[in-house]
Amino acid sequence: MRRRLRSLDALAATAAIWFLAKSLRYAFPPLFGTLSARYGVSNATLGLAFTAMMLVYALCQFPAAALADRVGAARVIALGAGAAAVAALALWGDVPALVLFGAMVLIGAGTGVHKTVAVGLLSAVYTERTGRALGILDTAGAFGGVAAPAAVAFCLASGRVTWHACFLAAGVVGLALVALSYGRLRAREPTSTAATDARVSLRRYAALFRDPAFAGFVCVTVGFSFAYNGVVAFLPQYLEWAGLAPATASAVYGGLFVVSLVQTVTGDVADRVGALRVVAGTLALAAVGLLALTLGAGGFGLVGLVGSVVVFGLGSHGFRPVRGAYLMALLPEDVAGGGLGVVRTVLMGAGALAPGVVGVLSTRAGFAAAFDVLCVALAVAAVGAGALLAAE
């Protein structure tokens, strides 16, 4: 038992850092109303700021993977976590808007280097249970989405602390995690004899997209990423627009991440029955949930809205770890790390555009039109996954 627990050190370290990274990102959407009032900016401005953070996050994927091949995954993970922690500490106190937006961008960069590198490391360390390991990693991250809205709601309701305390705590914990996990991750890094991604021609990565199965799955993940990021960026305000009180909307938003426990199940199921079957099923479920949320706003009531969010969350979170496992299976070994970085750059870049699109559409045309666009994107992704499964 003691040996088994020691074998989980890499998973525990990467999952803890991912929990913190997602907590930092998901702390902002529940604050949009407060930030709008404090700085006198619109939803469009906040959505574009969130998009800037996510674009930087996306652009870090491939460089992080290539750098990890040169200097090691542990160093890249520690560098990213340290940068995000410093950015969080910069938000302690009533800072100017420029400092806020700068910290958001640095958080995007610091958290952006983690996931791709962690997936590559865990896939190498836990070769026989990659799906399960990635399911646990994504579940830990999703629970950052539970902790962040709860912490923000507590601070906003408290007369003793402000929302800035969330970022102070995250910064201190982040630096502590770097100090505690770096040595363990260095010890778990596998020695690779394969050619490093830094020496692979860019044509080698471009050639990956000539495979119809690979290119098709990338398109599926892009559609999902756009829809998912748009929902999580504005769901609290969407629920308020649908008639819920702010506190209730924050609670329902947290519930979206509570159901992320399904990731440990879908990751394990994918190891047993095949990832693509689970991909198709989970995307179909997510599309049904988002469609119900979009059509039922204003008429469902609390129970209907909660049910729609839960269904959307089960499908979305169930898909995420299986996506990573399936991509690693599709990628040739000699370009696995950089290839995953390229794919995540593409899909996260598409996802990063969603908050800006939703922010602008909700300001000019209303939330109904904005969420209709997200619903179409997810429906197309679900149909694409079904087509890939049928062609397998």
Side-chain angles (χ1 to χ4, degrees), residues 132-177:
R132 178 179 294 179
L134 297 185
I136 293 172
L137 176 71
D138 277 336
T139 299
F143 267 89
V146 178
V152 169
F154 172 80
C155 290
L156 292 178
S158 173
R160 297 183 178 182
V161 295
T162 66
W163 58 267
H164 305 86
C166 298
F167 294 96
L168 174 63
V172 172
V173 172
L175 293 178
L177 280 175

Side-chain angles (χ1 to χ4, degrees), residues 68-199:
D69 287 331
R70 282 191 167 188
V71 304
R75 291 179 180 176
V76 176
I77 289 173
L79 177 64
V86 170
L89 291 174
L91 294 179
W92 172 244
D94 191 17
V95 299
L98 186 61
V99 174
L100 171 68
F101 296 145
M104 290 177 71
V105 170
L106 185 54
I107 287 172
T111 58
V113 306
H114 182 79
K115 180 69 179 290
T116 299
V117 178
V119 168
L121 177 61
L122 295 179
S123 297
V125 173
Y126 306 103
T127 55
E128 296 183 359
R129 282 291 180 262
T130 299
R132 178 179 294 179
L134 297 185
I136 293 172
L137 176 71
D138 277 336
T139 299
F143 267 89
V146 178
V152 169
F154 172 80
C155 290
L156 292 178
S158 173
R160 297 183 178 182
V161 295
T162 66
W163 58 267
H164 305 86
C166 298
F167 294 96
L168 174 63
V172 172
V173 172
L175 293 178
L177 280 175
V178 170
L180 292 172
S181 64
Y182 177 72
R184 299 302 305 170
L185 291 178
R186 284 285 289 173
R188 298 286 277 165
E189 287 179 337
T191 301
S192 176
T193 58
T196 63
D197 289 331
R199 299 174 184 173

Side-chain angles (χ1 to χ4, degrees), residues 332-369:
E333 184 178 353
D334 63 324
V335 291
L340 181 61
V342 170
V343 173
R344 284 184 57 80
T345 296
V346 172
L347 68 94
M348 291 300 168
L353 297 176
V357 171
V358 175
V360 171
L361 282 177
S362 63
T363 299
R364 296 186 177 183
F367 273 114

Side-chain angles (χ1 to χ4, degrees), residues 7-289:
S7 71
L8 298 176
D9 54 355
L11 178 57
T14 54
I17 294 173
W18 193 225
F19 171 88
L20 181 67
K22 297 297 279 287
S23 295
L24 284 171
R25 281 166 45 194
Y26 290 136
F28 289 107
L31 284 171
F32 277 178
T34 300
L35 295 176
S36 178
R38 165 63 182 84
Y39 295 106
V41 295
S42 66
N43 281 340
T45 300
L46 292 171
L48 290 172
F50 200 83
T51 283
M53 180 178 73
M54 295 303 296
L55 278 174
V56 172
Y57 173 91
L59 291 173
C60 286
Q61 305 295 311
F62 174 68
L67 183 62
D69 287 331
R70 282 191 167 188
V71 304
R75 291 179 180 176
V76 176
I77 289 173
L79 177 64
V86 170
L89 291 174
L91 294 179
W92 172 244
D94 191 17
V95 299
L98 186 61
V99 174
L100 171 68
F101 296 145
M104 290 177 71
V105 170
L106 185 54
I107 287 172
T111 58
V113 306
H114 182 79
K115 180 69 179 290
T116 299
V117 178
V119 168
L121 177 61
L122 295 179
S123 297
V125 173
Y126 306 103
T127 55
E128 296 183 359
R129 282 291 180 262
T130 299
R132 178 179 294 179
L134 297 185
I136 293 172
L137 176 71
D138 277 336
T139 299
F143 267 89
V146 178
V152 169
F154 172 80
C155 290
L156 292 178
S158 173
R160 297 183 178 182
V161 295
T162 66
W163 58 267
H164 305 86
C166 298
F167 294 96
L168 174 63
V172 172
V173 172
L175 293 178
L177 280 175
V178 170
L180 292 172
S181 64
Y182 177 72
R184 299 302 305 170
L185 291 178
R186 284 285 289 173
R188 298 286 277 165
E189 287 179 337
T191 301
S192 176
T193 58
T196 63
D197 289 331
R199 299 174 184 173
V200 175
S201 168
L202 291 177
R203 292 182 180 179
R204 182 73 175 89
Y205 296 118
L208 294 172
F209 291 88
R210 296 174 188 167
D211 179 3
F214 180 82
F217 188 70
V218 170
C219 291
V220 167
T221 61
V222 165
F224 167 80
S225 183
F226 181 86
Y228 180 80
N229 280 278
V231 171
V232 298
F234 280 95
L235 184 58
Q237 286 186 285
Y238 179 82
L239 293 172
E240 290 180 35
W241 169 80
L244 300 187
T248 305
S250 292
V252 176
Y253 182 66
L256 172 64
F257 303 99
V258 171
V259 298
S260 65
L261 284 171
V262 71
Q263 291 175 132
T264 59
V265 177
T266 56
D268 191 49
V269 171
D271 288 334
R272 299 173 184 273
V273 305
L276 196 52
R277 292 182 180 180
V278 181
V279 162
T282 53
L283 282 180
L285 186 64
V288 169

Side-chain angles (χ1 to χ4, degrees), residues 239 242-244 296-308:
L239 293 172
L244 300 187
F300 265 1
L302 177 60
V303 174
L305 290 173
V306 170
S308 299

